[in-house]
Amino acid sequence: MSFYIYQKSEIKADPDKEPEGDSGFIVGYASKFGGVDSYEDTIEKTAFDNFLKTGKLPKMFFNHDSWGLPVGVWDRLEVDDVGLKAYGRINLKTTAGADLYESIKFGSVDGLSICIRLGENDYFYDDGLIRHITNVQDMREISIVNYPADNNARMIDFKSIKNDTIDNIKKFERSLRDAGFSKSDAMALISQAKTAIHSERDADEVKGLESI
């Protein structure tokens, strides 16, 4: 199961590198611990430990344009009490990279979004159906983004819905959450489904009366 997590990152030019001039170095939090994002996911402090041990570094894109050229490279990831901190370099020898860096310095672009892969045992739900992510198996990219909370860009895996037998609303909601829906979106979809079912049932009853 792969999906994106969007958070306000306050990405900026790296203050430790900036005295050298326009170097393209940036730093920001790709994910922050303890908060609840727009999809009602929260990241536990140990979630990135196993991934960091692999030594892998994700790709850097702008707005998750993974079909295009990367806009730079991530040099280092580290975890502190706040979250996952990312240090990288934007390629200033490209027009896209130079424009992006100027936008970051200007303050008009300030978001980061991570694409992570989870297994079925890498998270749990509390009583309020907040999803607690405890382990990240893989991180394909950290993108610099315009809208850190853009729900439309979320990757959705529907296998958990297709392979489950839904026997109650709570289980259906949990399956929708596993597929990438926020709690509010899941409840809205359930409400629409119930309305459609009732409308169809009412229509069948009318047809039954007409045949009498």
Side-chain angles (χ1 to χ4, degrees):
M1 175 170 54
S2 299
F3 60 91
Y4 296 130
I5 289 182
Y6 301 87
Q7 294 178 322
K8 192 73 171 179
S9 65
E10 298 177 356
I11 187 175
K12 57 186 179 182
D14 192 336
D16 295 330
K17 304 288 185 179
E18 194 57 25
E20 301 175 5
D22 283 343
S23 57
F25 284 91
I26 55 173
V27 60
Y29 283 98
S31 179
K32 293 183 178 180
F33 300 134
V36 178
D37 67 12
S38 60
Y39 276 81
E40 300 191 56
D41 292 329
T42 186
I43 306 286
E44 300 293 328
K45 286 190 174 182
T46 58
F48 298 105
D49 290 355
N50 288 330
F51 173 75
L52 292 179
K53 289 177 184 177
T54 68
K56 295 168 59 177
L57 290 170
K59 296 284 188 180
M60 180 193 294
F61 295 108
F62 179 53
N63 282 334
H64 296 291
D65 183 16
S66 58
W67 293 102
L69 290 173
V71 294
V73 294
W74 295 110
D75 294 314
R76 179 163 56 98
L77 301 177
E78 65 180 34
V79 168
D80 59 20
D81 290 337
V82 177
L84 179 68
K85 201 168 187 178
Y87 298 83
R89 288 171 291 141
I90 294 176
N91 186 356
L92 300 182
K93 292 187 177 181
T94 65
T95 301
D99 290 345
L100 178 58
Y101 189 61
E102 287 300 318
S103 297
I104 291 172
K105 290 196 300 177
F106 187 73
S108 56
V109 174
D110 60 358
L112 286 180
S113 171
I114 63 176
C115 177
I116 60 176
R117 181 173 294 277
L118 305 178
E120 60 181 12
N121 297 319
D122 295 330
Y123 59 92
F124 67 90
Y125 290 101
D126 61 22
D127 292 339
L129 281 183
I130 301 297
R131 178 164 44 191
H132 295 253
I133 296 172
T134 58
N135 179 59
V136 172
Q137 294 191 2
D138 193 19
M139 188 186 309
R140 296 178 57 190
E141 62 172 283
I142 301 176
S143 274
I144 301 164
V145 294
N146 285 324
Y147 298 104
D150 182 2
N151 294 341
N152 294 323
R154 181 95 167 206
M155 293 177 64
I156 297 175
D157 184 346
F158 285 96
K159 287 188 294 185
S160 61
I161 293 180
K162 291 189 293 185
N163 296 337
D164 277 347
T165 300
I166 307 301
D167 52 17
N168 57 63
I169 293 298
K170 206 72 171 177
K171 186 174 181 180
F172 187 34
E173 181 184 352
R174 187 175 293 112
S175 295
L176 289 171
R177 293 293 312 283
D178 287 345
F181 286 86
S182 68
K183 183 178 180 180
S184 58
D185 287 344
M187 292 308 297
L189 182 59
I190 290 170
S191 177
Q192 290 176 8
K194 289 167 67 177
T195 300
I197 290 170
H198 286 312
S199 297
E200 189 169 313
R201 183 178 300 161
D202 292 343
D204 289 342
E205 288 177 358
V206 170
K207 289 180 182 178
L209 289 173
E210 290 175 346
S211 64
I212 295 175

